Amino acid sequence: MKDPIHNYKADFPILNKDFQGEPRIYLDSAATSQKPQMVIDAISDFYCTNNANVHRGVGRMSQVATEKYEAARQTVADFINAPSSRNVVFTRSTTESLNWIATGYAAQVLKPDDEIIISVAEHHSNVIPWQQVAKQTGAKLVFVNLDTNGQIDLADFQKKLSAKTKIVSLNHISNVLGSINPIAKIAQLTHQFGAKLVVDAAQSAPHLKLDVQKLDADFLAFSGHKMLGPTGIGVLYGKMDVLEAMQPVQFGGEMIDEVSQQTATWQPVPIKFEAGTPNIVGAIGLAAAIDYLNQIGMDNIEKIEHKLVKQCLAELKQIDGITIYGPQNADQHTGVISFNLMGLHPHDVSTGLDLEGIEVRAGHHCAQPLMQYLGVESTVRASFYFYNTPADVQKLIEAIKTVKEFFEDGFA
Ligand code: C6P
C-alpha cells in the first residue's frame, strides 16, 4: 500500500519531463490517463520475455501467455467484484463494448415499439449504437433529462419507464459534467419493469470503487486507457444470463467450438466473444494498472480527487463571468469540471491555456446532445486524476486569469 502523501507523479515518466522543452500540466485525464512505469514495464516485460499467442499452442511460452491473459481477466473481475472471471469479456474499448451489447444483445431482443431509454448526457458511444439498433428493430429511443445537479432526473426517468422499456443505458459519471448517477437506484427502478440496465462506466472505473453486484448492472463497459492501462483494451462485464443470450459480433479463430463447411458452434462465454488473437499485452497492461490502483486504494483515489475538485470549484467560482456546468458542490462531483468564460470561445480559452503549459480539452466532448440540452456549442474541460496536485489546480486558476485578461485587454 502506498503512503497517502506519496509523490504519485514520480511514478509516471511522462509527468516528470518537460514537453517540447517546457513544463506541462496534464489536465485531460478524462480523455486518456497517463501510464505509470509499472504498466510500461509489464508491457515491455511480456514482449521481452514471454511473447506468444494464447489459447492455442501447447508450447510452454503459449501456456504461460494464456495463464497471464486469464489471470488479467481475474484481476479485472476482482476489481469490479464480478462473480467470476467468466463475466468479463475483453474488448477494444468502452465504445466496442457498448456496440457489442447493442448489436449482440439488444438487436436480438428488441421488437417494434419497444423502448430504449438513455439520457441527454450520454457520450456518442452510448447514443449512436442505440440509434442504429432502434432503426434496425423499430424500437424507440427515449431521452431522460437531468436535474439541476446534472444527474439523471429520477422523476423524469420514472415517468418514462414503462412496460415498453426493454433497455436502459446510462453513464455512471458524465464525461462533461462530472456528475455521478445513482446507478443502484436506477437498476432497482429498471428491473421493476423487467428491463436490462447497461452502465457506461468509462469515467467511473478509473475513479471509484466499482462493485457490479451492488450496482446490479446487467452490463457494464469501460476502457483500460482511462485507468492507467494501454489503449486498445476494454471491458464488457455482463451477468451470466445476458452474456449467454448475447450473440457474438465477430467471428473467426478461437471463439469456435466446431466448424464444418456450412455451420459452426461457439465456445462458452466469454471466449465466444473474443474472435481472433486478442490484445494479450493490453490485458496484461490493464491488470498491472489495476495492481497499481489497488496499491493506492480506490478510496484514497476518491479522497485525493475530492480535495482537488473542492479547491478547483472554490477558486473557479471567484472568477467573474464564469459558468460552471454540472454540480456546483464538490461532494457530488468527480474530477471533471466543464466551464465557459463569458464572451470567450472555449477553443480560444484552451489555446490560451495550452500556451500557458496547461493541457485541457475544449469542444463538445463527444456529447453533442448534451451541448444542445445545455444550450452551448462547446465547453472547456479540465479533468483531474490522483496524480494531479493542489499546485496544478493553482496553476490552472492563474492561467485562466491570465488568458481572460489577455482577451479582455485585447478587445478593450
Ligand atoms: N471519452 C473524453 O474525452 P473510448 O473512446 O471507447 O475509450 O471511450 C468512449 C467513452 C464512452 N463513454 C464515456 C462516458 C466517455 O467519456 C468515453 C470517452 C473521452 O471524454 C474521449 S471522447
Side-chain angles (χ1 to χ4, degrees):
M1 192 59 76
K2 285 189 191 286
D3 162 1
I5 52 162
H6 183 80
N7 172 12
Y8 295 108
K9 280 192 185 183
D11 297 342
F12 291 76
I14 203 170
L15 299 177
N16 285 308
K17 283 192 187 85
D18 288 351
F19 179 73
Q20 297 182 341
E22 286 178 15
R24 196 147 192 92
I25 293 174
Y26 188 75
L27 298 180
D28 198 13
S29 293
T32 197
S33 71
Q34 297 304 347
K35 321 301 172 198
Q37 189 66 50
M38 192 168 144
V39 169
I40 298 166
D41 287 347
I43 294 168
S44 161
D45 284 353
F46 182 76
Y47 281 134
C48 291
T49 63
N50 196 168
N51 185 41
N53 212 329
V54 294
H55 296 148
R56 283 166 171 78
V58 285
R60 252 181 303 152
M61 283 171 77
S62 174
Q63 278 181 36
V64 175
T66 304
E67 279 162 25
K68 285 182 188 274
Y69 181 69
E70 289 305 324
R73 198 190 301 279
Q74 186 63 54
T75 300
V76 173
D78 293 342
F79 184 66
I80 60 173
N81 194 29
S84 147
S85 65
R86 291 190 60 227
N87 297 87
V88 172
V89 181
F90 283 125
T91 64
R92 193 168 56 87
S93 58
T94 308
T95 302
E96 187 163 271
S97 300
L98 293 169
N99 272 275
W100 285 10
I101 296 163
T103 313
Y105 180 78
Q108 315 300 319
V109 300
L110 288 170
K111 306 219 163 31
D113 296 328
D114 282 347
E115 293 184 354
I116 307 159
I117 298 184
I118 65 171
S119 87
V120 295
E122 299 312 315
H123 186 279
H124 294 162
S125 297
N126 198 26
V127 176
I128 305 164
W130 302 115
Q131 289 177 347
Q132 296 300 316
V133 165
K135 273 190 207 145
Q136 216 180 312
T137 60
K140 196 172 146 205
L141 191 53
V142 176
F143 283 79
V144 66
N145 292 324
L146 306 182
D147 65 15
T148 49
N149 268 326
Q151 291 173 310
I152 298 302
D153 179 339
L154 285 178
D156 189 46
F157 180 53
Q158 280 174 276
K159 234 187 283 163
K160 288 170 178 165
L161 265 174
S162 77
K164 289 185 175 178
T165 313
K166 294 292 178 301
I167 304 275
V168 173
S169 188
L170 298 171
N171 68 66
H172 193 180
I173 293 178
S174 159
N175 69 317
V176 178
L177 305 174
S179 43
I180 310 165
N181 284 319
I183 293 299
K185 174 75 188 160
I186 288 168
Q188 185 208 334
L189 296 169
T190 301
H191 293 149
Q192 277 172 10
F193 288 88
K196 301 295 182 198
L197 176 64
V198 181
V199 176
D200 172 354
Q203 297 293 347
S204 60
H207 303 280
L208 303 180
K209 172 85 200 106
L210 278 188
D211 182 331
V212 287
Q213 299 191 64
K214 274 201 190 136
L215 292 176
D216 203 18
D218 295 284
F219 290 108
L220 185 134
F222 56 95
S223 299
H225 71 94
K226 293 187 198 291
M227 48 189 288
L228 315 182
T231 50
I233 187 78
V235 171
L236 188 175
Y237 157 83
K239 287 185 183 168
M240 202 40 75
D241 62 331
V242 285
L243 287 181
E244 300 276 9
M246 184 167 143
Q247 296 302 307
V249 175
Q250 290 179 349
F251 304 89
E254 201 47 38
M255 51 80 68
I256 51 84
D257 180 21
E258 269 192 41
V259 183
S260 64
Q261 280 196 353
Q262 302 296 333
T263 59
T265 53
W266 318 142
Q267 287 282 340
V269 170
I271 304 298
K272 76 170 180 179
F273 299 111
E274 296 178 6
T277 299
N279 186 352
I280 304 163
V281 82
I284 288 166
L286 174 57
I290 291 174
D291 289 343
Y292 179 92
L293 290 171
N294 284 336
Q295 280 180 15
I296 305 174
M298 295 310 287
D299 291 351
N300 284 330
I301 288 176
E302 273 189 64
K303 279 186 205 142
I304 296 165
E305 291 178 15
H306 181 259
K307 272 196 192 153
L308 297 174
V309 171
K310 200 168 170 186
Q311 177 195 355
C312 191
L313 280 177
E315 296 271 5
L316 284 175
K317 283 181 191 170
Q318 305 300 316
I319 297 174
D320 274 350
I322 195 162
T323 303
I324 301 167
Y325 301 95
Q328 304 292 310
N329 180 335
D331 293 341
Q332 294 151 330
H333 222 295
T334 57
V336 173
I337 302 183
S338 276
F339 62 92
N340 273 325
L341 294 171
M342 198 170 26
L344 299 188
H345 196 285
H347 284 115
D348 290 337
V349 175
S350 79
T351 304
L353 291 176
D354 184 60
L355 293 171
E356 295 293 313
I358 313 252
E359 186 93 13
V360 293
R361 183 173 173 189
H364 53 62
H365 313 296
C366 302
Q368 286 185 9
L370 178 58
M371 296 295 123
Q372 289 147 19
Y373 184 79
L374 296 173
V376 295
E377 268 181 26
S378 51
T379 70
V380 184
R381 184 188 73 181
S383 54
F384 302 97
Y385 212 177
F386 62 91
Y387 45 60
N388 291 118
T389 62
D392 292 348
V393 174
Q394 209 43 51
K395 288 198 180 121
L396 168 71
I397 301 296
E398 280 159 22
I400 293 172
K401 288 180 182 162
T402 305
V403 169
K404 192 169 176 294
E405 269 168 34
F406 172 81
F407 279 107
E408 285 174 353
D409 290 351
F411 291 113

